[in-house]
Amino acid sequence: MSLQMTLGEVFAKSARKFPDRIAVGDPDRRLTYAVLNERVNRLANGLAGLGLRRGDRVATLSRNTTFLAESYLASLKLGLVNAPIVARATVEDYKGQLELSDPRALLFHSEYQEQVAALREFLPADIILACFGENPPSFARDYEELLRKASPAEVAGGVSEDDEAFLMFTGGTTGKSKGALLTHKNLLWNSLNFMIEAGFPQPGHVTVYPMQLYHVAGASRFLSYMHAGATFLLSPDFDPERFLRDIERERTNFALGNTAIWRMMLDAQRAGKHDTSSVKYILHGHSFLTPALRAELEQELFLNGQAYVLYALTESSPGVALLKPGDDPLHYSSLGRPFLSLDVRIGDPLSDQALPQGEVGQILVSGPTVTKGYFRNPESSREALKGGWLHTGDLGYYDERGYLYMSDRLKDMIKTGGINVYSAEVEDIIAQHPGVLEAAVIGVHHEKWGETIRAVVVPRPGAQVSEKEIIQHCTARLASHKKPTSVVFVESLPKGSFGGKILKNKLRELYGKA
């Protein structure tokens, strides 16, 4: 007999174990596990009464609210596939995501009713529209009325761990979005990886989460808290001062961020001290963590916290590797070791043949967190999962102690004079200059060398830094072919949501002309 676990079942178990504990909250309300479970059951039964069945897709359009959390869990209990629309986008973007996901229903917050009204002529005539929040429009069902009329009984959905749970949009920064299909099993293993290897979340842990749940990072974190019987409090968006106040008031154990977010929080903390002593776990993403920033996090921002570094991908639900406190890689730019359930190897970019330790190749991932493919996109699925390995598009290597490093995106690698130059190494050296806040490098066309290196630099506030100074700094620390030949100074670097990954395609568009 095989043990089947689904995301809806593990949440229902937490509700039975911790009925009076706060499960989710937002600025307007808080729900215990018992109350949340009843509302989730009512929504699931209400959606079933409207004709939705296992395998149907349900799109959601909302900022962070408890309603969105309910809609995720209800869909999972019923065996529906959540397709969270990226809410910070345009109506045209919404059209593209709805066209890609082809949902049977759209659940949306009332603050988006104008956008949904504009989409109606594009949407199928039989799509189910339901609105939560205040003053729902007449063209949509009232969410609360749907719940009131439905049964609070547990749902008998017949869901399997191999059923699809989420369709997550990915790849929008490099072209047309794709929809990565993540199963119940994928996301449960991601949760277990963190619980076992990192020790969080645990029953009773509390976090305030200001990043959006329509991203895989937020959705997976929320589900892991429901798995553990912990408390997940939602903030509508990221504001550093409010985030610090929330941490102090709620006595949260966990904080998630990236370099840009930490910089804003450090500035806010220096302006007015908040008690952040409750934070034990600091999770850093989107890049490696420099010793200087680690020291600021652990000595100024979260005095009782220890920093972890995460390497993650949407297609891996998302965790791939983790650098833990006490780990001892050969260089601080390591992203740690793979999670226990995953095999991660370095493959030749052309043949996929495994490369020896120390050689740079494409990072390939295999294991139970890896996506089953892209929705209605067999060609991209075959390419991404060739040979049973997820082809990440990231270049990296292992050191002799078994720690993983990322050198570059495959598409961002610079080739000058026939020699490969990896962005991470050059950017790390530039960032060590005392006058530099952030830096990124791109390749620009060169008639003799094919490409040459251009640095795009954000100076520290008040610093006076010249192009000559940056080039000389690199000349003293890098091989000649790796140093920038030109420098552009800017106020900020283009990034994804919440100061995430630097958008190199945008940098090339803005500054890539020779």
Side-chain angles (χ1 to χ4, degrees), residues 369-392:
T369 67
V370 171
T371 177
K372 66 192 301 184
Y374 299 110
F375 181 60
R376 294 180 182 172
N377 194 336
E379 184 178 343
S380 292
S381 298
R382 282 193 298 270
E383 185 179 336
L385 299 170
K386 186 173 57 176
W389 292 83
L390 173 63
H391 290 60
T392 66

PDB file of all heavy atoms in Angstrom, residues 369-392:
ATOM      1  N   THR A 369      10.589  17.297  -6.362  1.00  0.00           N
ATOM      2  CA  THR A 369      10.059  18.661  -6.407  1.00  0.00           C
ATOM      3  C   THR A 369      10.012  19.220  -7.830  1.00  0.00           C
ATOM      4  O   THR A 369       9.501  20.315  -8.042  1.00  0.00           O
ATOM      5  CB  THR A 369      10.903  19.622  -5.549  1.00  0.00           C
ATOM      6  OG1 THR A 369      12.203  19.759  -6.126  1.00  0.00           O
ATOM      7  CG2 THR A 369      11.017  19.132  -4.114  1.00  0.00           C
ATOM      8  N   VAL A 370      10.541  18.483  -8.797  1.00  0.00           N
ATOM      9  CA  VAL A 370      10.675  19.009 -10.161  1.00  0.00           C
ATOM     10  C   VAL A 370       9.341  18.945 -10.904  1.00  0.00           C
ATOM     11  O   VAL A 370       8.645  17.927 -10.884  1.00  0.00           O
ATOM     12  CB  VAL A 370      11.767  18.245 -10.938  1.00  0.00           C
ATOM     13  CG1 VAL A 370      11.774  18.633 -12.410  1.00  0.00           C
ATOM     14  CG2 VAL A 370      13.138  18.517 -10.315  1.00  0.00           C
ATOM     15  N   THR A 371       8.999  20.031 -11.578  1.00  0.00           N
ATOM     16  CA  THR A 371       7.769  20.139 -12.348  1.00  0.00           C
ATOM     17  C   THR A 371       7.562  18.968 -13.300  1.00  0.00           C
ATOM     18  O   THR A 371       8.531  18.387 -13.802  1.00  0.00           O
ATOM     19  CB  THR A 371       7.753  21.451 -13.168  1.00  0.00           C
ATOM     20  OG1 THR A 371       6.574  21.508 -13.957  1.00  0.00           O
ATOM     21  CG2 THR A 371       8.953  21.527 -14.098  1.00  0.00           C
ATOM     22  N   LYS A 372       6.314  18.661 -13.575  1.00  0.00           N
ATOM     23  CA  LYS A 372       6.001  17.643 -14.579  1.00  0.00           C
ATOM     24  C   LYS A 372       6.039  18.227 -15.981  1.00  0.00           C
ATOM     25  O   LYS A 372       5.904  17.496 -16.965  1.00  0.00           O
ATOM     26  CB  LYS A 372       4.653  17.009 -14.286  1.00  0.00           C
ATOM     27  CG  LYS A 372       3.458  17.921 -14.410  1.00  0.00           C
ATOM     28  CD  LYS A 372       2.190  17.315 -13.834  1.00  0.00           C
ATOM     29  CE  LYS A 372       1.776  16.018 -14.476  1.00  0.00           C
ATOM     30  NZ  LYS A 372       0.487  15.512 -13.934  1.00  0.00           N
ATOM     31  N   GLY A 373       6.203  19.539 -16.113  1.00  0.00           N
ATOM     32  CA  GLY A 373       6.300  20.171 -17.428  1.00  0.00           C
ATOM     33  C   GLY A 373       5.512  21.459 -17.488  1.00  0.00           C
ATOM     34  O   GLY A 373       4.990  21.946 -16.481  1.00  0.00           O
ATOM     35  N   TYR A 374       5.447  22.022 -18.675  1.00  0.00           N
ATOM     36  CA  TYR A 374       4.731  23.273 -18.910  1.00  0.00           C
ATOM     37  C   TYR A 374       3.371  22.981 -19.538  1.00  0.00           C
ATOM     38  O   TYR A 374       3.255  22.147 -20.438  1.00  0.00           O
ATOM     39  CB  TYR A 374       5.537  24.195 -19.818  1.00  0.00           C
ATOM     40  CG  TYR A 374       6.875  24.592 -19.246  1.00  0.00           C
ATOM     41  CD1 TYR A 374       8.064  24.108 -19.790  1.00  0.00           C
ATOM     42  CD2 TYR A 374       6.959  25.455 -18.150  1.00  0.00           C
ATOM     43  CE1 TYR A 374       9.290  24.471 -19.275  1.00  0.00           C
ATOM     44  CE2 TYR A 374       8.180  25.813 -17.620  1.00  0.00           C
ATOM     45  CZ  TYR A 374       9.340  25.323 -18.184  1.00  0.00           C
ATOM     46  OH  TYR A 374      10.560  25.673 -17.660  1.00  0.00           O
ATOM     47  N   PHE A 375       2.357  23.694 -19.086  1.00  0.00           N
ATOM     48  CA  PHE A 375       0.991  23.475 -19.532  1.00  0.00           C
ATOM     49  C   PHE A 375       0.856  23.731 -21.031  1.00  0.00           C
ATOM     50  O   PHE A 375       1.195  24.801 -21.526  1.00  0.00           O
ATOM     51  CB  PHE A 375       0.052  24.392 -18.745  1.00  0.00           C
ATOM     52  CG  PHE A 375      -1.394  24.257 -19.094  1.00  0.00           C
ATOM     53  CD1 PHE A 375      -2.044  23.045 -18.934  1.00  0.00           C
ATOM     54  CD2 PHE A 375      -2.114  25.336 -19.571  1.00  0.00           C
ATOM     55  CE1 PHE A 375      -3.383  22.910 -19.233  1.00  0.00           C
ATOM     56  CE2 PHE A 375      -3.456  25.224 -19.874  1.00  0.00           C
ATOM     57  CZ  PHE A 375      -4.095  23.998 -19.719  1.00  0.00           C
ATOM     58  N   ARG A 376       0.365  22.715 -21.745  1.00  0.00           N
ATOM     59  CA  ARG A 376       0.113  22.797 -23.186  1.00  0.00           C
ATOM     60  C   ARG A 376       1.309  23.320 -23.967  1.00  0.00           C
ATOM     61  O   ARG A 376       1.170  24.083 -24.921  1.00  0.00           O
ATOM     62  CB  ARG A 376      -1.125  23.662 -23.463  1.00  0.00           C
ATOM     63  CG  ARG A 376      -2.419  23.044 -22.936  1.00  0.00           C
ATOM     64  CD  ARG A 376      -3.626  23.908 -23.231  1.00  0.00           C
ATOM     65  NE  ARG A 376      -4.848  23.302 -22.678  1.00  0.00           N
ATOM     66  CZ  ARG A 376      -6.040  23.905 -22.650  1.00  0.00           C
ATOM     67  NH1 ARG A 376      -6.168  25.121 -23.142  1.00  0.00           N
ATOM     68  NH2 ARG A 376      -7.093  23.290 -22.140  1.00  0.00           N
ATOM     69  N   ASN A 377       2.499  22.894 -23.549  1.00  0.00           N
ATOM     70  CA  ASN A 377       3.723  23.318 -24.225  1.00  0.00           C
ATOM     71  C   ASN A 377       4.696  22.143 -24.256  1.00  0.00           C
ATOM     72  O   ASN A 377       5.718  22.140 -23.563  1.00  0.00           O
ATOM     73  CB  ASN A 377       4.340  24.516 -23.492  1.00  0.00           C
ATOM     74  CG  ASN A 377       5.398  25.220 -24.320  1.00  0.00           C
ATOM     75  OD1 ASN A 377       5.994  24.615 -25.216  1.00  0.00           O
ATOM     76  ND2 ASN A 377       5.647  26.478 -24.026  1.00  0.00           N
ATOM     77  N   PRO A 378       4.378  21.114 -25.062  1.00  0.00           N
ATOM     78  CA  PRO A 378       5.204  19.904 -25.054  1.00  0.00           C
ATOM     79  C   PRO A 378       6.641  20.145 -25.510  1.00  0.00           C
ATOM     80  O   PRO A 378       7.564  19.509 -25.004  1.00  0.00           O
ATOM     81  CB  PRO A 378       4.465  18.960 -26.007  1.00  0.00           C
ATOM     82  CG  PRO A 378       3.583  19.839 -26.834  1.00  0.00           C
ATOM     83  CD  PRO A 378       3.216  20.992 -25.957  1.00  0.00           C
ATOM     84  N   GLU A 379       6.835  21.083 -26.419  1.00  0.00           N
ATOM     85  CA  GLU A 379       8.194  21.329 -26.917  1.00  0.00           C
ATOM     86  C   GLU A 379       9.087  21.886 -25.813  1.00  0.00           C
ATOM     87  O   GLU A 379      10.205  21.393 -25.585  1.00  0.00           O
ATOM     88  CB  GLU A 379       8.141  22.309 -28.093  1.00  0.00           C
ATOM     89  CG  GLU A 379       9.501  22.552 -28.727  1.00  0.00           C
ATOM     90  CD  GLU A 379       9.422  23.494 -29.929  1.00  0.00           C
ATOM     91  OE1 GLU A 379       8.309  23.699 -30.455  1.00  0.00           O
ATOM     92  OE2 GLU A 379      10.478  24.016 -30.322  1.00  0.00           O
ATOM     93  N   SER A 380       8.603  22.911 -25.098  1.00  0.00           N
ATOM     94  CA  SER A 380       9.389  23.465 -23.987  1.00  0.00           C
ATOM     95  C   SER A 380       9.566  22.450 -22.868  1.00  0.00           C
ATOM     96  O   SER A 380      10.617  22.407 -22.216  1.00  0.00           O
ATOM     97  CB  SER A 380       8.718  24.727 -23.439  1.00  0.00           C
ATOM     98  OG  SER A 380       8.771  25.770 -24.374  1.00  0.00           O
ATOM     99  N   SER A 381       8.547  21.619 -22.644  1.00  0.00           N
ATOM    100  CA  SER A 381       8.643  20.589 -21.597  1.00  0.00           C
ATOM    101  C   SER A 381       9.734  19.584 -21.927  1.00  0.00           C
ATOM    102  O   SER A 381      10.550  19.218 -21.069  1.00  0.00           O
ATOM    103  CB  SER A 381       7.295  19.867 -21.437  1.00  0.00           C
ATOM    104  OG  SER A 381       6.289  20.763 -21.033  1.00  0.00           O
ATOM    105  N   ARG A 382       9.755  19.128 -23.188  1.00  0.00           N
ATOM    106  CA  ARG A 382      10.800  18.164 -23.597  1.00  0.00           C
ATOM    107  C   ARG A 382      12.190  18.773 -23.460  1.00  0.00           C
ATOM    108  O   ARG A 382      13.127  18.125 -22.984  1.00  0.00           O
ATOM    109  CB  ARG A 382      10.563  17.729 -25.046  1.00  0.00           C
ATOM    110  CG  ARG A 382       9.474  16.696 -25.232  1.00  0.00           C
ATOM    111  CD  ARG A 382       9.520  16.090 -26.621  1.00  0.00           C
ATOM    112  NE  ARG A 382       9.290  17.093 -27.653  1.00  0.00           N
ATOM    113  CZ  ARG A 382       8.076  17.421 -28.135  1.00  0.00           C
ATOM    114  NH1 ARG A 382       6.998  16.832 -27.652  1.00  0.00           N
ATOM    115  NH2 ARG A 382       7.955  18.334 -29.068  1.00  0.00           N
ATOM    116  N   GLU A 383      12.314  20.025 -23.859  1.00  0.00           N
ATOM    117  CA  GLU A 383      13.614  20.697 -23.787  1.00  0.00           C
ATOM    118  C   GLU A 383      14.065  20.871 -22.346  1.00  0.00           C
ATOM    119  O   GLU A 383      15.224  20.640 -22.003  1.00  0.00           O
ATOM    120  CB  GLU A 383      13.498  22.063 -24.476  1.00  0.00           C
ATOM    121  CG  GLU A 383      14.803  22.821 -24.575  1.00  0.00           C
ATOM    122  CD  GLU A 383      14.619  24.152 -25.280  1.00  0.00           C
ATOM    123  OE1 GLU A 383      13.658  24.301 -26.057  1.00  0.00           O
ATOM    124  OE2 GLU A 383      15.442  25.055 -25.035  1.00  0.00           O
ATOM    125  N   ALA A 384      13.141  21.285 -21.464  1.00  0.00           N
ATOM    126  CA  ALA A 384      13.494  21.556 -20.064  1.00  0.00           C
ATOM    127  C   ALA A 384      13.778  20.279 -19.286  1.00  0.00           C
ATOM    128  O   ALA A 384      14.580  20.296 -18.345  1.00  0.00           O
ATOM    129  CB  ALA A 384      12.381  22.340 -19.385  1.00  0.00           C
ATOM    130  N   LEU A 385      13.125  19.169 -19.658  1.00  0.00           N
ATOM    131  CA  LEU A 385      13.208  17.935 -18.873  1.00  0.00           C
ATOM    132  C   LEU A 385      13.911  16.814 -19.634  1.00  0.00           C
ATOM    133  O   LEU A 385      13.725  15.640 -19.317  1.00  0.00           O
ATOM    134  CB  LEU A 385      11.808  17.495 -18.458  1.00  0.00           C
ATOM    135  CG  LEU A 385      11.046  18.491 -17.570  1.00  0.00           C
ATOM    136  CD1 LEU A 385       9.600  18.079 -17.417  1.00  0.00           C
ATOM    137  CD2 LEU A 385      11.720  18.630 -16.208  1.00  0.00           C
ATOM    138  N   LYS A 386      14.717  17.174 -20.572  1.00  0.00           N
ATOM    139  CA  LYS A 386      15.433  16.205 -21.406  1.00  0.00           C
ATOM    140  C   LYS A 386      16.246  15.233 -20.550  1.00  0.00           C
ATOM    141  O   LYS A 386      16.977  15.641 -19.647  1.00  0.00           O
ATOM    142  CB  LYS A 386      16.350  16.954 -22.381  1.00  0.00           C
ATOM    143  CG  LYS A 386      17.063  16.088 -23.406  1.00  0.00           C
ATOM    144  CD  LYS A 386      17.799  16.954 -24.420  1.00  0.00           C
ATOM    145  CE  LYS A 386      18.790  17.895 -23.761  1.00  0.00           C
ATOM    146  NZ  LYS A 386      19.584  18.686 -24.717  1.00  0.00           N
ATOM    147  N   GLY A 387      16.074  13.947 -20.816  1.00  0.00           N
ATOM    148  CA  GLY A 387      16.836  12.927 -20.095  1.00  0.00           C
ATOM    149  C   GLY A 387      16.418  12.767 -18.648  1.00  0.00           C
ATOM    150  O   GLY A 387      17.132  12.123 -17.866  1.00  0.00           O
ATOM    151  N   GLY A 388      15.265  13.330 -18.275  1.00  0.00           N
ATOM    152  CA  GLY A 388      14.797  13.201 -16.897  1.00  0.00           C
ATOM    153  C   GLY A 388      15.404  14.204 -15.932  1.00  0.00           C
ATOM    154  O   GLY A 388      15.225  14.079 -14.717  1.00  0.00           O
ATOM    155  N   TRP A 389      16.101  15.209 -16.454  1.00  0.00           N
ATOM    156  CA  TRP A 389      16.723  16.235 -15.612  1.00  0.00           C
ATOM    157  C   TRP A 389      16.164  17.604 -15.977  1.00  0.00           C
ATOM    158  O   TRP A 389      16.014  17.928 -17.158  1.00  0.00           O
ATOM    159  CB  TRP A 389      18.241  16.259 -15.819  1.00  0.00           C
ATOM    160  CG  TRP A 389      18.940  15.034 -15.320  1.00  0.00           C
ATOM    161  CD1 TRP A 389      19.086  13.845 -15.968  1.00  0.00           C
ATOM    162  CD2 TRP A 389      19.572  14.876 -14.053  1.00  0.00           C
ATOM    163  NE1 TRP A 389      19.770  12.957 -15.187  1.00  0.00           N
ATOM    164  CE2 TRP A 389      20.085  13.553 -14.004  1.00  0.00           C
ATOM    165  CE3 TRP A 389      19.755  15.723 -12.948  1.00  0.00           C
ATOM    166  CZ2 TRP A 389      20.774  13.072 -12.888  1.00  0.00           C
ATOM    167  CZ3 TRP A 389      20.449  15.234 -11.850  1.00  0.00           C
ATOM    168  CH2 TRP A 389      20.948  13.919 -11.827  1.00  0.00           C
ATOM    169  N   LEU A 390      15.855  18.412 -14.968  1.00  0.00           N
ATOM    170  CA  LEU A 390      15.455  19.788 -15.198  1.00  0.00           C
ATOM    171  C   LEU A 390      16.677  20.597 -15.610  1.00  0.00           C
ATOM    172  O   LEU A 390      17.653  20.705 -14.867  1.00  0.00           O
ATOM    173  CB  LEU A 390      14.847  20.384 -13.916  1.00  0.00           C
ATOM    174  CG  LEU A 390      14.539  21.885 -13.951  1.00  0.00           C
ATOM    175  CD1 LEU A 390      13.492  22.203 -15.015  1.00  0.00           C
ATOM    176  CD2 LEU A 390      14.092  22.369 -12.576  1.00  0.00           C
ATOM    177  N   HIS A 391      16.607  21.170 -16.800  1.00  0.00           N
ATOM    178  CA  HIS A 391      17.683  22.011 -17.309  1.00  0.00           C
ATOM    179  C   HIS A 391      17.405  23.440 -16.855  1.00  0.00           C
ATOM    180  O   HIS A 391      16.515  24.110 -17.385  1.00  0.00           O
ATOM    181  CB  HIS A 391      17.766  21.909 -18.833  1.00  0.00           C
ATOM    182  CG  HIS A 391      18.254  20.581 -19.308  1.00  0.00           C
ATOM    183  ND1 HIS A 391      17.592  19.397 -19.030  1.00  0.00           N
ATOM    184  CD2 HIS A 391      19.364  20.232 -20.025  1.00  0.00           C
ATOM    185  CE1 HIS A 391      18.267  18.387 -19.555  1.00  0.00           C
ATOM    186  NE2 HIS A 391      19.340  18.865 -20.161  1.00  0.00           N
ATOM    187  N   THR A 392      18.161  23.908 -15.863  1.00  0.00           N
ATOM    188  CA  THR A 392      17.841  25.160 -15.185  1.00  0.00           C
ATOM    189  C   THR A 392      18.166  26.392 -16.018  1.00  0.00           C
ATOM    190  O   THR A 392      17.629  27.474 -15.749  1.00  0.00           O
ATOM    191  CB  THR A 392      18.612  25.259 -13.863  1.00  0.00           C
ATOM    192  OG1 THR A 392      20.018  25.346 -14.145  1.00  0.00           O
ATOM    193  CG2 THR A 392      18.322  24.064 -12.966  1.00  0.00           C
TER     194      THR A 392
END
